[in-house]
Amino acid sequence: MAAPGLRFRELLAKVGSGEHTSTGLSRGEAREAMDLMLAGEVGEAQLGAFLIAHRIRRPSPIELTGMLDSYRAHGPVLRSPGRRPLCFGVPYDGRSRTAPLVPMVALLLAASGQPVVLHGGDPMPVKYGVTLAELFAVLGIEWRGLPLAAVQARLDDHNLALTHQPLHFSAADRLRPVRDAIGKRPPVASLELLWTPHQGEHLLVSGFVHPPTESRAWEALAAAGETDLLTVKGLEGSTDLPTTRAGITARVRQGVVERLILHPRDHGIASEEVRWESLEAWGTQARQALVGEGPLAEALVWNLGALLWLSEACSGLEEGVQQARALLAARAGERLRAALAEVR
């Protein structure tokens, strides 16, 4: 076995030795393990063993920080000098039960002057749900195959960017076959909610499902130097706030956690969650929602209004909801959609 494989075996032993003898990895060791995986220096047997052992044991916050260090070093980089974007982390394995809102929210935020940075990939195990790139493509906006310089240009000119893993971070995309083979979400899936290709000041918006995941994210990101964070218990682990129940969120500034419970009915929002049907059906619903019509319109108002407030574009949640309605009435998101659809 070559030297990288031998070293990785040592790291694997630390996470796979069992409940009583496993010691876990330091931040530096976790970065080293992720570096070796991204460099293709690890055989599939070792890679699968590491990912499933880490999944069973659950990564510690400092291990997630080390892996995040590696992603930051090897992944694509976007910048927005003088402008603080919202950077969203949503599950790479997509959505399969509820209709996504993130693409329309991103278009409307960008149209209002708020930069937005997204990232994603092709359909991913284990859910193989619909992806951000597929959703944007139905709206006429293609990100797949777009050079990173062109993605940066869209951020500069239109306040919106989405990096696509197969092209922009092929080293990470090489892990997909093993992720499929193990049949469970590995720690890399958590990492994708914490990482952003944007470097510089930003507000990181990260989705979660289980409470322990949220607290681990706070600790891991604090160690990584993230000073402004919004965590959202969103639909299917996304950042989409529900409309049929209270939205559970937390704003973390300089390590201080402020729990925020958002009640849609207090602001006149009472629509049901819309079930996912197909890309074609969603495309029709999304185009309607961008002009304030159709079954997704109220959920879009709620999510956009909350983010306008949380990003400090307005002084209160009710004001945010009113600004959201005004942006829809002005067809701001639809105009940006049409403009981006013409950009090649």
Side-chain angles (χ1 to χ4, degrees):
M1 185 179 294
L6 290 171
R7 175 55 180 158
F8 194 81
R9 188 169 66 181
E10 294 174 359
L11 298 171
L12 173 58
K14 288 196 169 188
V15 299
S17 295
E19 181 179 355
H20 299 294
T21 58
S22 174
T23 59
L25 303 177
S26 68
R27 177 174 178 173
E29 289 171 332
R31 172 173 179 167
E32 185 181 3
M34 195 74 244
D35 285 345
L36 289 168
M37 288 189 280
L38 294 177
E41 300 280 5
V42 180
E44 287 194 0
Q46 283 187 313
L47 180 56
F50 183 91
L51 293 179
I52 198 65
H54 226 195
R55 154 82 187 197
I56 293 169
R57 190 177 121 318
R58 302 292 183 186
S60 68
I62 203 62
E63 287 174 323
L64 285 172
T65 304
M67 296 166 73
L68 183 57
D69 290 338
S70 181
Y71 258 51
R72 286 174 169 177
H74 297 288
V77 173
L78 297 171
R79 294 184 173 88
S80 56
R83 302 181 302 161
R84 187 190 73 158
L86 298 189
C87 300
F88 289 80
V90 299
Y92 272 36
D93 63 356
R95 300 277 287 276
S96 62
R97 300 190 302 274
T98 51
L101 300 167
V102 170
M104 296 98 76
V105 170
L107 282 166
L108 282 152
L109 286 169
S112 75
Q114 170 61 64
V116 174
V117 174
L118 305 165
H119 55 97
D122 284 339
M124 181 76 71
V126 292
K127 187 190 292 185
Y128 285 104
V130 68
T131 68
L132 290 176
E134 291 174 307
L135 295 168
F136 274 106
V138 171
L139 297 179
I141 304 168
E142 188 57 76
W143 299 97
R144 296 166 295 189
L146 198 67
L148 187 62
V151 176
Q152 178 67 62
R154 287 189 182 183
L155 180 59
D156 295 340
D157 298 338
H158 300 286
N159 293 322
L160 185 60
L162 188 154
T163 58
H164 192 234
Q165 181 171 273
L167 177 61
H168 303 130
F169 201 178
S170 58
D173 206 54
R174 285 199 299 266
L175 304 180
R176 271 201 304 153
V178 174
R179 292 173 67 164
D180 185 45
I182 65 176
K184 290 290 185 179
R185 291 185 184 90
V188 176
S190 298
L191 183 62
E192 288 158 352
L193 303 177
L194 309 182
W195 173 74
T196 174
H198 182 265
Q199 289 191 2
E201 184 184 1
H202 52 243
L203 169 58
L204 183 63
V205 186
S206 179
F208 75 96
V209 176
H210 306 295
T213 305
E214 184 188 34
S215 58
R216 280 200 304 269
W218 296 341
E219 190 173 338
L221 288 167
E226 291 282 357
T227 59
D228 202 357
L229 169 66
L230 173 66
T231 50
V232 180
K233 186 177 174 60
L235 298 173
E236 299 184 60
S238 75
T239 57
D240 287 349
L241 290 166
T243 54
T244 55
R245 57 176 170 82
I248 300 173
T249 74
R251 188 68 182 273
V252 186
R253 295 183 178 93
Q254 303 292 341
V256 178
V257 179
E258 179 185 9
R259 175 64 74 197
L260 300 167
I261 309 298
L262 311 182
H263 298 277
R265 292 184 184 274
D266 290 350
H267 301 273
I269 306 294
S271 62
E272 294 294 318
E273 261 76 67
V274 176
R275 293 185 62 184
W276 172 258
E277 296 178 25
S278 66
L279 271 171
E280 181 180 9
W282 182 87
T284 298
Q285 295 165 349
R287 293 285 295 272
Q288 291 173 334
L290 284 171
V291 295
E293 301 173 358
L296 291 175
E298 285 299 284
L300 179 55
V301 165
W302 176 234
N303 277 266
L304 178 60
L307 285 167
L308 287 169
W309 170 52
L310 291 165
S311 64
E312 301 172 349
C314 57
S315 59
L317 181 51
E318 183 57 34
E319 183 182 343
V321 169
Q322 295 308 313
Q323 283 192 21
R325 293 193 187 281
L327 285 165
L328 291 178
R331 303 173 71 93
E334 170 57 21
R335 288 201 306 272
L336 179 57
R337 185 209 63 78
L340 284 169
E342 295 178 357
V343 176
R344 294 292 182 266

